[in-house]
Amino acid sequence: IYQLYNIFMTGLPIMYYCLFDFEFAKDEFLKYPLYYRIGMKNACFSYPIFLQWLSYALVIGFSVYYNVSMILLDSTKLNNWIKVELWASGNLCYGGSIIAANLTLLYKFSSIDGWNVITIMCGILAFFIASYVENDSLKVIPSLFHVFNNLFSEGIAWLSLIFITGLITVLELAHRAGKSLIYKGDDL
């Protein structure tokens, strides 16, 4: 079920981004060939930019891992559930990764319209729907039955996802501020 989710719900926002997000109108590219200078100078494709994205992914990945492993797996913080099992923590970690990927993509759009917001929100909402459907279909495995209900009835699980959402927002604002300082005065 996770691979189908990755193919359809994570892939669709990325395809929408690639096909419909333009920094400039198509006619402007024909009128102003100076816009192609970014590609000629490798301003968007270089080792420092690759390392920047790799660092960004590592920070987000570590944050998701820390939230789930160190906070959620500490069973003293949970009120109604004695122990959070590996399946539940993996599900929450996967959900945090989906939220992080979709919000990062949303912040990278050049122009925000209703369609890209709907696409991103549907991708996030589809995770919760798929997890809930999976939750009720696991009746044959008693230890996994109602993991979703037990996990998301706890406030700490929601706080973990809200923290990841806030972290993505702060990192994106810091990235934009740093980028504006670095490229200040540059005509790229």
Side-chain angles (χ1 to χ4, degrees):
I1 193 166
Y2 290 125
Q3 295 309 320
L4 287 175
Y5 181 89
N6 285 337
I7 291 170
F8 294 109
M9 298 313 294
T10 305
L12 288 176
I14 294 170
M15 286 187 272
Y16 181 85
Y17 176 76
C18 293
L19 292 173
F20 299 112
D21 187 53
F22 298 105
E23 188 175 1
F24 303 104
K26 293 177 185 177
D27 296 336
E28 285 187 51
F29 281 114
L30 295 174
K31 291 178 188 175
Y32 306 105
L34 186 64
Y35 292 150
Y36 291 104
R37 204 169 106 196
I38 293 172
M40 290 180 215
K41 286 188 165 188
N42 279 336
C44 295
F45 305 106
S46 64
Y47 287 114
I49 291 174
F50 174 75
L51 292 176
Q52 172 189 358
W53 276 106
L54 183 62
S55 301
Y56 184 86
L58 289 173
V59 166
I60 296 301
F62 178 75
S63 299
V64 170
Y65 171 76
Y66 179 78
N67 275 314
V68 172
S69 297
M70 303 303 173
I71 296 171
L72 191 62
L73 287 178
D74 184 8
S75 60
T76 60
K77 291 183 170 60
L78 298 175
N79 297 328
N80 300 328
W81 208 12
I82 309 261
K83 183 180 176 189
V84 176
E85 307 226 355
L86 181 63
W87 189 272
S89 60
N91 197 10
L92 187 64
C93 188
Y94 187 66
S97 299
I98 287 170
I99 290 173
N102 280 304
L103 286 180
T104 300
L105 187 62
L106 181 65
Y107 288 135
K108 297 300 175 191
F109 276 104
S110 295
S111 60
I112 303 291
D113 62 2
W115 289 111
N116 51 18
V117 173
I118 289 171
T119 303
I120 297 296
M121 291 303 133
C122 284
I124 294 172
L125 183 63
F127 162 73
F128 290 104
I129 293 170
S131 295
Y132 185 75
V133 168
E134 180 187 49
N135 176 53
D136 284 340
S137 65
L138 291 174
K139 293 178 183 175
V140 294
I141 306 171
S143 63
L144 298 180
F145 189 55
H146 288 297
V147 169
F148 179 84
N149 294 340
N150 291 334
L151 177 64
F152 286 105
S153 66
E154 296 295 333
I156 193 87
W158 290 105
L159 284 175
S160 178
L161 294 177
I162 290 169
F163 175 77
I164 291 167
T165 303
L167 180 69
I168 295 294
T169 304
V170 168
L171 282 175
E172 183 59 33
L173 291 174
H175 178 263
R176 287 182 185 184
K179 191 174 177 181
S180 68
L181 289 174
I182 291 170
Y183 294 117
K184 189 174 184 177
D186 193 0
D187 57 350
L188 283 178

